[in-house]
């Protein structure tokens, strides 16, 4: 699952832009509609409570890395206690209210000094409240952004990666095994450049880990795909020794039966099969897609 930032749903950005609009309207001698909008949507509301998280983030800088980590964790834990349904409803109504009085394109043109930090906090709170697993790179990158905003000392990316790994301890055993293995190998450089086929497999595993039949069907379809491409490749290869090796590999690759669960070992194996396939294509100039 890939969660993207949305400035239209970012409570911190919406509030800051309304405040800027009040200033702009006042300087232009206009009775600002933004004052009423702020009073209506940010007083005694879930939006008001959520904005306090962004306000806290904006006001705190030059912390030690330890305090910055505590700050981030506190903000994320607090966000979990907000009423998500009420928030969605209030944001929807707020955007409609802004549209009545302002051109949205012009309204969002104003640049904010805390934009990157606010975007990172929004993304992490969405991840915190999501029901499915998310690409760990997104978590690491956004935590790095918040730590750089909050902290006085240089941030070590490896430390953030280690922290994200610790968070995965809450996942079920198979997911945790795969996550550790893939992440550690990736951070060590082995998977720094995953093929698109491998990324698709990882994404499907993370998203479908609790849906055994769906994941098994996907896994078996990939097994069929690998075997098919190996068969095609074998017809193009002229080296008899290579043909024998390809046949041996193909015979080792088997679909799962209807009662089997897809394990992390299965996923790692099929990632390796696709890596082998890509290497064979490159070595023998194959045009197989």
């Amino acid at each position: 699952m890939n969660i993207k930032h949305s400035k239209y749903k970012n409570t911190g950005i919406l509030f800051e832009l309304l405040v800027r609009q009040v200033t702009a309207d006042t300087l232009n001698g206009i009775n600002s509609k933004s004052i009423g909008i702020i009073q209506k949507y940010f007083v005694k509301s879930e939006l008001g409570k959520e904005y306090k998280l962004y306000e806290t983030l904006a006001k705190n800088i030059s912390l030690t890395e330890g305090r910055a980590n505590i700050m981030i964790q506190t903000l994320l834990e607090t966000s979990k206690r907000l009423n998500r349904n009420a928030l969605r409803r209030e944001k929807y109504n707020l955007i409609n209210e802004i549209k009545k009085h302002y051109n949205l394109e012009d309204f969002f043109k104003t640049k904010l000094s805390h934009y990157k930090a606010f975007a990172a906090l929004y993304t992490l709170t969405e991840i915190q409240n999501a029901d499915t697993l998310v690409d760990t790179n997104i978590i690491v990158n956004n935590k790095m952004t918040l730590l750089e905003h909050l902290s006085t000392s240089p941030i070590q990316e490896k430390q953030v990666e280690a922290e994200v790994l610790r968070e995965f301890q809450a996942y079920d055993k198979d997911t945790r095994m795969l996550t550790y293995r893939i992440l550690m190998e990736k951070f060590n450089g082995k998977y720094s450049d995953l093929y698109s086929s491998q990324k698709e497999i990882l994404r499907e595993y993370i998203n479908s880990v609790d849906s055994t039949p769906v994941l098994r069907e996907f896994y078996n379809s990939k097994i069929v795909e690998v075997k098919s491409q190996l068969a095609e490749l074998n017809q193009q290869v002229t080296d008899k020794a290579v043909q024998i090796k390809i046949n041996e590999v193909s015979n080792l690759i088997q679909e799962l039966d209807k009662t089997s669960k897809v394990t992390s070992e299965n996923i790692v194996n099929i990632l390796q099969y696709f890596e082998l396939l890509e290497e064979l294509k490159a070595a023998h100039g194959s045009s197989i897609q």
Side-chain angles (χ1 to χ4, degrees):
M1 180 178 177
N2 187 10
I3 291 181
K4 295 182 179 180
H5 173 245
S6 171
K7 61 186 178 183
Y8 297 98
K9 297 178 182 178
N10 188 311
T11 301
I13 288 174
L14 289 168
F15 182 87
E16 294 291 328
L17 289 175
L18 284 166
V19 171
R20 296 292 183 91
Q21 192 64 55
V22 170
T23 304
D25 290 344
T26 302
L27 290 174
N28 290 319
I30 300 171
N31 184 18
S32 182
K33 299 293 184 182
S34 292
I35 296 174
I37 295 174
I38 291 172
Q39 291 172 338
K40 181 177 179 180
Y41 289 96
F42 289 90
V43 177
K44 295 182 180 179
S45 65
E46 290 303 296
L47 275 173
K49 293 176 186 176
E50 186 172 56
Y51 174 67
K52 289 295 181 184
L53 305 182
Y54 290 92
E55 184 181 41
T56 300
L57 178 65
K59 287 181 176 179
N60 284 276
I61 56 174
S62 301
L63 303 179
T64 63
E65 188 173 341
R67 287 182 176 273
N69 269 309
I70 293 171
M71 174 68 70
I72 293 169
Q73 194 57 39
T74 302
L75 293 176
L76 295 179
E77 287 297 326
T78 303
S79 78
K80 291 175 68 174
R81 296 198 289 271
L82 297 175
N83 185 322
R84 310 307 296 181
N85 290 329
L87 266 178
R88 282 191 289 272
R89 183 173 62 252
E90 289 174 10
K91 286 180 185 180
Y92 177 81
N93 292 334
L94 172 59
I95 288 295
N96 282 337
E97 188 83 26
I98 293 171
K99 282 162 80 172
K100 289 179 185 177
H101 305 289
Y102 302 102
N103 178 288
L104 279 187
E105 186 176 348
D106 292 336
F107 182 81
F108 281 98
K109 276 182 180 177
T110 304
K111 293 184 177 180
L112 301 174
S113 58
H114 298 309
Y115 185 92
K116 282 182 66 176
F118 280 9
L121 179 58
Y122 169 88
T123 305
L124 289 174
T125 56
E126 290 297 303
I127 290 170
Q128 184 90 347
N129 291 282
D131 294 326
T132 54
L133 302 183
V134 178
D135 182 354
T136 53
N137 285 324
I138 298 175
I139 301 173
V140 170
N141 291 338
N142 284 284
K143 282 198 171 182
M144 287 285 291
T145 298
L146 290 187
L147 285 170
E148 287 166 357
H149 167 80
L150 291 166
S151 181
T152 54
S153 56
I155 305 304
Q156 299 297 318
E157 186 171 353
K158 289 292 181 184
Q159 293 177 6
V160 179
E161 290 165 356
E163 182 185 338
V164 172
L165 281 173
R166 285 196 295 272
E167 291 180 10
F168 279 99
Q169 290 177 351
Y171 297 161
D172 66 87
K173 182 180 177 182
D174 275 335
T175 307
R176 191 165 65 247
M177 283 174 59
L178 176 73
T179 303
Y180 282 152
R181 190 162 175 178
I182 295 301
L183 283 180
M184 292 311 296
E185 289 178 338
K186 179 183 182 300
F187 294 152
N188 289 330
K190 183 174 180 180
Y191 287 131
S192 57
D193 294 304
L194 288 173
Y195 296 109
S196 59
S197 55
Q198 292 174 310
K199 290 178 181 177
E200 180 190 4
I201 291 164
L202 282 177
R203 188 162 52 245
E204 186 68 24
Y205 180 81
I206 295 299
N207 289 339
S208 305
V209 71
D210 294 324
S211 182
T212 302
V214 173
L215 183 58
R216 184 172 54 239
E217 184 179 346
F218 173 81
Y219 175 85
N220 285 340
S221 74
K222 288 300 170 184
I223 291 293
V224 171
E225 184 180 329
V226 170
K227 291 174 75 74
S228 174
Q229 291 193 33
L230 284 173
E232 283 187 60
L233 186 63
N234 221 7
Q235 292 177 356
Q236 299 176 16
V237 173
T238 56
D239 189 317
K240 293 295 182 183
V242 174
Q243 286 180 339
I244 291 171
K245 290 294 182 184
I246 291 176
N247 281 330
E248 288 177 354
V249 171
S250 185
N251 290 334
L252 286 173
I253 304 172
Q254 300 296 326
E255 294 179 49
L256 294 175
D257 60 43
K258 293 182 179 180
T259 61
S260 296
K261 179 182 178 182
V262 180
T263 67
S264 61
E265 203 64 37
N266 295 137
I267 298 298
V268 171
N269 286 340
I270 200 167
L271 288 174
Q272 293 171 343
Y273 295 146
F274 271 98
E275 186 164 6
L276 172 64
L277 191 59
E278 294 295 338
E279 289 173 358
L280 286 170
K281 288 179 189 178
H284 297 280
S286 173
S287 59
I288 297 173
Q289 298 295 317

